[in-house]
């Protein structure tokens, strides 16, 4: 992309529907009278999806004193004081896009910091934003970026951003972040109004962040129903000062996960009370709001305008017929899910290709959400599902070479296999999967980084090793347990067929440097990407990481409040040693070392004794797991190493007033050397500060 011409840039801008600005070869002092008025740009500024010569810029300027504007000026400069302005453009602004605008600026130099600002005809200006272009494709310099997910402004504070900014401002020039990858749950569409839940949520105080004008109340929470409602939730999130500062400091690369649309949503469906219902109009509304509020290089079929989304007209019609990939063929469903294409790839020099996929719009049904799947769950074993059951349900009609069993044994019961006539779980969808695999195969980058919003690392326990008599009934499975979606599974870790297909493809094509970064699980994980675990052959093909949530509560916090004190398996989840006065995140120990380690900890309170009785076959793929951690992750890659740092902060119940966002709980670093074809990837852990003792 180094030699892109002005003409081809303009064509690209038109394809993206952007207002385009072309960088001049020479810089000149700003000629605009700019007076900063943050109050009339209440959502701040942002930039997104940088390439080596261009980046998207964003702001929102609603009418002031009833006076609506039709345009804004944008300036891009090489310095913060705008004495070296390299691009200036006019951008239209209108109610049709909720007064937001997107400007594609081209003709920029690679790997450069630029400053930008918006100004109206009266000289009232936005705050100044900072952005960074990517290095050119042949540039071998190291790349550093953060990956994050799951910020909940209704239930927590965004201290993680404060910490990220604090550290970046103090880092040496080459140690600063080049961009921030946001892997979804940028908003939580599901909102509790404080009066609906006076007791709060777990440890959390509920904030009064939005009142949906149209919204629907379900049980004790509220969800958006119109584009106006979705816009309202984005606006209110962007009023968070720490999030706004982060968007003004770095270019963001954003992908939606579930909550940008709907909690248990898939394709154009929503799911409440165990029932799927058509919600194509809401899927389109969610896409429109994402398009308007996230500056990103997304394609939409409604026309090339970046000025307006132009939503397709859809109705909420029942989705009855699904094809062999589990894709609902109903016309409105297809129009809704194709109204915005989120999957895309971006390059940062020789070392990084970031391949981002969409796990919600095309995915087939999640088998464990089915009413019939409830028969495999028991309150005696919270969240546990026999692994053999998960494998049968996932593979559906393809199980056992196309000969799935008619029924599945669970303890002494034989339960009908409701998935025997259905296709295997397909999270990516056929079309996207083909694109993804081709992208992987053809990538020229040292590291092929899969930005998967959902986690890939197996989450399993070994209830078969429980001493008899611990629970009233014996473990109804034949061996290991996986977990239900309510514990955070139902992601790529239990889509065994699809994950196996991807990992086999990586192996068969001799693809090295395959690394996955994910979110969604509200927990930190580091490990090796393998399609199977012992007693099956364990053959890693890559490395994989999951970042803790910025602020949304995790499962440990939920269990502290929700798991009965007298539950016999409490030591496996939020156990306490004899000297502990508070519940400890022993779920980490369960996933990493097994039930015997948890029971030893409950007896002696000695973490070393607990680790000494680890089950080595349980999780050879995991090097670190913290189901209670919050914060962010930083990736640093060079031409031969991949390093991931977890920066873990305390539960972000309230906003920290400290400049650094508050103390750290721990900082860890995992490092992998680039492996050669046929070699097994390996991860080394370094604990830099703090003591994540249940996590290792
Ligand atoms: Fe989340």
């Amino acid at each position: 992309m180094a030699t892109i011409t002005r003409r081809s840039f303009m064509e690209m801008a038109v394809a993206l529907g952007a207002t385009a600005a072309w960088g001049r070869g020479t810089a000149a002092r700003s000629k605009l009278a700019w007076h900063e008025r943050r109050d009339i740009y209440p959502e701040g500024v942002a930039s997104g999806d940088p390439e080596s010569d261009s980046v998207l810029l964003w702001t929102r300027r609603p009418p002031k004193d009833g006076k609506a504007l039709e345009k804004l000026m944008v300036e891009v400069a090489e310095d913060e004081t705008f004495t070296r302005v390299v691009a200036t453009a006019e951008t239209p602004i209108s109610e049709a896009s909720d007064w937001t605008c997107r400007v594609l600026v081209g003709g920029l130099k690679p790997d450069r910091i630029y400053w930008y600002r918006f100004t109206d005809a009266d000289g009232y200006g936005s705050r100044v934003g900072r952005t960074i272009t990517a290095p050119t494709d042949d540039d071998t310099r190291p790349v550093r970026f953060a990956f994050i997910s799951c910020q909940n402004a209704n239930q927590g504070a965004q201290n993680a951003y404060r910490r990220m900014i604090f550290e970046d401002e103090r880092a040496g020039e080459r140690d600063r972040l080049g961009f921030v990858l946001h892997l979804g749950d940028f908003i939580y569409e599901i909102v509790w109004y404080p009066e609906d839940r006076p007791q709060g949520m777990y440890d959390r105080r509920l904030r009064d962040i939005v009142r949906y004008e149209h919204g629907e109340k379900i049980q004790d929470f509220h969800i958006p129903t119109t584009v106006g409602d979705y816009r309202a939730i984005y606006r209110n999130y962007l009023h968070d000062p720490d999030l706004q500062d982060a968007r003004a400091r770095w270019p963001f690369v954003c992908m939606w996960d579930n909550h940008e649309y709907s909690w248990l949503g898939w394709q154009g469906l929503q799911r409440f009370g165990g029932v799927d219902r058509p919600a194509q109009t809401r899927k389109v509304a969610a896409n429109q709001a994402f398009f308007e509020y996230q500056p990103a290089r997304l394609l939409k079929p409604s026309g090339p305008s970046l000025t307006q989304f132009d939503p397709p007209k859809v109705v909420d019609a029942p989705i009855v017929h699904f094809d062999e990939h589990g894709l609902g063929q109903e016309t409105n469903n297809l129009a809704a899910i194709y109204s915005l294409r989120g999957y895309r790839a971006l390059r940062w020099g020789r070392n990084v290709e970031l391949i981002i996929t969409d796990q919600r719009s095309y995915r087939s049904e999640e088998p464990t959400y089915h009413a019939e799947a409830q028969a495999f769950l028991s309150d005696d074993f919270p969240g546990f599902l026999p692994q053999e059951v998960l494998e049968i349900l996932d593979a559906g009609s393809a199980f056992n070479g196309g000969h799935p069993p008619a029924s599945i044994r669970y303890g002494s019961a034989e339960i009908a296999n409701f998935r025997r006539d259905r296709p295997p779980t397909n999270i990516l969808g056929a079309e996207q999967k083909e694109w993804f695999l081709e992208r992987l195969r053809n990538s020229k980058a040292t590291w092929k980084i899969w930005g998967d919003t959902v986690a890939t690392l197996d989450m399993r326990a070994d209830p078969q090793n429980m001493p008899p008599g611990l629970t009233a009934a014996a473990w109804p499975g034949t061996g290991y347990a996986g977990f239900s979606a309510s514990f955070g599974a139902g992601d790529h870790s239990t889509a065994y067929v699809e994950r196996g297909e991807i990992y086999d493809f990586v192996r068969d094509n001799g693809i090295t440097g395959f690394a996955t970064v994910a979110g969604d699980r509200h927990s930190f994980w580091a490990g090796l990407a393998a399609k199977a675990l012992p007693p099956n052959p364990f053959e890693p093909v890559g490395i994989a990481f999951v970042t803790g949530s910025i602020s949304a509560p995790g499962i440990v916090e939920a269990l502290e409040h929700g798991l009965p004190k007298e539950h016999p398996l409490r030591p496996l989840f939020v156990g306490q040693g004899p000297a502990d006065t508070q519940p400890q995140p022993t779920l980490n120990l369960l996933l990493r070392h097994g039930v015997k380690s948890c029971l030893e900890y409950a007896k002696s309170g000695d973490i070393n004794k607990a680790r000494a009785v680890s089950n080595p076959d349980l999780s050879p793929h995991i090097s670190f797991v913290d189901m209670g951690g919050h914060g962010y992750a930083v990736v640093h890659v060079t031409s031969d190493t991949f390093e991931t740092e977890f920066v873990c902060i305390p539960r972000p119940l309230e906003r920290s007033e400290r400049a650094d966002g508050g103390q750290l709980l721990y900082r860890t670093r995992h490092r992998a050397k680039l492996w050669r074809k046929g070699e097994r990837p390996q991860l080394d852990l370094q604990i830099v500060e703090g003591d994540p003792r249940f996590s290792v």
Side-chain angles (χ1 to χ4, degrees), residues 149-151 184-185 188 257-259 520-522 549 552:
S149 72
C150 300
Q151 59 208 23
D185 294 0
Y188 279 77
D257 196 34
N258 52 327
H259 283 289
D520 177 53
R521 254 190 210 172
H522 303 189
S549 74

Side-chain angles (χ1 to χ4, degrees), residues 245-425:
D245 285 354
R247 292 234 298 181
R249 179 167 180 82
W250 300 288
F252 271 51
V253 175
C254 292
M255 185 56 210
W256 58 77
D257 196 34
N258 52 327
H259 283 289
E260 277 83 353
Y261 162 48
S262 183
W263 175 27
L264 301 174
W266 59 289
Q267 299 185 28
L269 293 157
Q270 289 187 325
R271 184 173 179 83
F272 293 103
V275 178
D276 286 325
R277 48 156 139 147
Q280 291 91 333
T281 55
R282 295 176 190 186
K283 177 68 177 173
V284 171
N287 279 352
Q288 178 165 353
F290 188 96
F291 171 87
E292 290 169 348
Y293 280 83
Q294 302 286 25
R297 296 177 197 253
L298 307 179
L299 294 176
K300 60 190 170 69
S302 62
S305 170
L306 245 205
T307 314
Q308 278 172 230
F309 182 70
D310 303 317
K313 300 245 177 308
V314 296
V315 296
D316 297 330
I319 304 171
V320 181
H321 177 64
F322 293 84
D323 72 4
E324 72 273 24
H325 307 291
L327 186 68
Q329 297 301 295
E330 195 279 325
T331 320
N332 296 277
N333 184 48
L334 296 173
I337 65 182
Y338 290 130
S339 66
L340 194 61
R341 197 182 93 171
Y343 61 88
R344 62 202 192 273
L346 292 159
R347 247 329 255 282
W348 274 267
R350 176 69 65 83
N351 292 323
V352 171
E353 175 150 7
L354 178 61
I355 310 174
I356 302 164
T357 53
D358 174 352
Q359 281 60 242
R360 305 294 177 178
S361 302
Y362 319 109
R363 69 153 300 152
S364 59
E365 62 174 1
E366 168 52 40
T368 62
Y369 287 166
H370 253 262
E372 291 103 310
Q374 304 315 304
F376 299 104
L377 283 163
S378 154
D379 286 343
D380 291 340
F381 301 93
F384 287 10
L385 270 161
Q387 188 179 326
E388 69 277 12
V389 172
L390 284 168
E391 286 170 2
I392 294 168
L393 296 182
D394 170 62
S397 59
F399 190 79
N400 188 29
H403 302 285
S407 64
I408 307 171
R409 178 161 281 276
Y410 182 70
S412 57
E414 279 289 336
I415 297 166
N417 178 8
F418 65 92
R419 291 267 305 157
R420 61 187 294 208
D421 298 322
R422 311 218 188 180
T425 312

